[in-house]
Amino acid sequence: MFYHLNGIVSDIDLNLAVIDCSGVGYAVNTTTNTLSRIKLNEKTKLYISECIKEDSFDLYGFATLSEKRCFEMLISVSGIGPKAAQAILCAVTPEGLAMAVMNGDDKAITAAQGVGKKIAQRVILELKDKVSKEMGGSAASELPAMMTQTAAGSKNKSDAIAALMVLGYGTTEINAALKGMDVSDMETDQIVKAALKNLM
């Protein structure tokens, strides 16, 4: 099983990068977000998600674990295959997708090539449902701090926590990422971005 590839970018094509690892070139499907972070003939590290079928063995690679987790959350949605998940992540960043799910913004998701309104609404419904189940199934002591506080910024923080859960992060990771963060003057998307930076 591949976890990551660390090598030289020997070729870049449309949503594809070839990573040369000791003379072996791995064709890795990726997103515009990841492609913007890598350069031809330079060393890079991509986190890998394998998609294996009877007639194919495809690798999908991402510059960050957040994007990889987001991809794997998307393909867990019924009717969403790896190509559709890749297209969605070419249209929105992980934090953008999380905010779209939390706000019910299907237009942000339909911006992806080949993704219609019904699929976008299914993504929103299933990922929101997943977060609700995870939050409902967690003991109060396990939920991130300030989840129920009424101080300024707590509503934005609780929304950010839910958005991070959309991206596949658990309560322990979220608690660590938000520890000591002053969110009183931060918007939800700013909290998500700052937390993702800490998680990286």
Side-chain angles (χ1 to χ4, degrees):
M1 179 177 181
F2 292 96
Y3 182 76
H4 70 253
L5 290 177
N6 199 335
I8 303 296
V9 182
S10 62
D11 196 11
I12 293 177
D13 204 343
L14 182 63
N15 297 331
L16 181 83
V18 178
I19 310 300
D20 188 319
C21 300
S22 302
V24 179
Y26 294 90
V28 181
N29 298 285
T30 189
T31 65
T32 50
N33 185 43
T34 287
L35 287 176
S36 70
R37 294 170 178 244
I38 65 177
K39 293 183 179 179
L40 195 62
N41 299 321
E42 289 191 4
K43 195 169 185 178
T44 193
K45 177 180 179 180
L46 296 183
Y47 295 97
I48 302 297
S49 183
E50 300 172 337
C51 294
I52 304 171
K53 297 180 180 179
E54 288 184 6
D55 58 348
S56 64
F57 181 4
D58 295 323
L59 301 179
Y60 288 80
F62 309 95
T64 65
L65 277 173
S66 296
E67 196 172 27
K68 179 192 173 187
R69 284 179 182 234
C70 201
F71 174 82
E72 291 174 345
M73 288 286 283
L74 282 168
I75 60 176
S76 73
V77 174
S78 57
I80 300 292
K83 290 297 183 185
Q86 180 187 17
I88 291 170
L89 290 173
C90 281
V92 294
T93 61
E95 58 266 28
L97 176 64
M99 295 306 300
V101 170
M102 297 314 302
N103 296 327
D105 182 10
D106 56 24
K107 288 184 179 179
I109 300 173
T110 56
Q113 186 175 2
V115 176
K117 189 170 183 176
K118 286 185 178 180
I119 292 177
Q121 289 175 339
R122 188 184 305 142
V123 168
I124 291 168
L125 181 64
E126 290 196 24
L127 293 187
K128 265 191 176 181
D129 186 53
K130 182 179 178 67
V131 170
S132 296
K133 287 178 180 177
E134 286 185 5
M135 291 174 69
S138 300
S141 61
E142 294 176 339
L143 290 174
M146 292 177 63
M147 196 63 183
T148 58
Q149 287 185 13
T150 57
S154 64
K155 172 63 167 63
N156 288 347
K157 187 169 186 179
S158 64
D159 288 345
I161 288 165
L164 290 165
M165 286 183 169
V166 167
L167 298 180
Y169 290 99
T171 53
T172 301
E173 293 170 300
I174 295 171
N175 266 324
L178 297 179
K179 187 176 181 180
M181 190 183 296
D182 181 6
V183 301
S184 56
D185 295 319
M186 296 175 69
E187 296 297 326
T188 302
D189 61 333
Q190 293 174 321
I191 300 171
V192 172
K193 287 180 181 178
L196 288 175
K197 186 176 180 180
N198 289 341
L199 287 162
M200 289 169 61

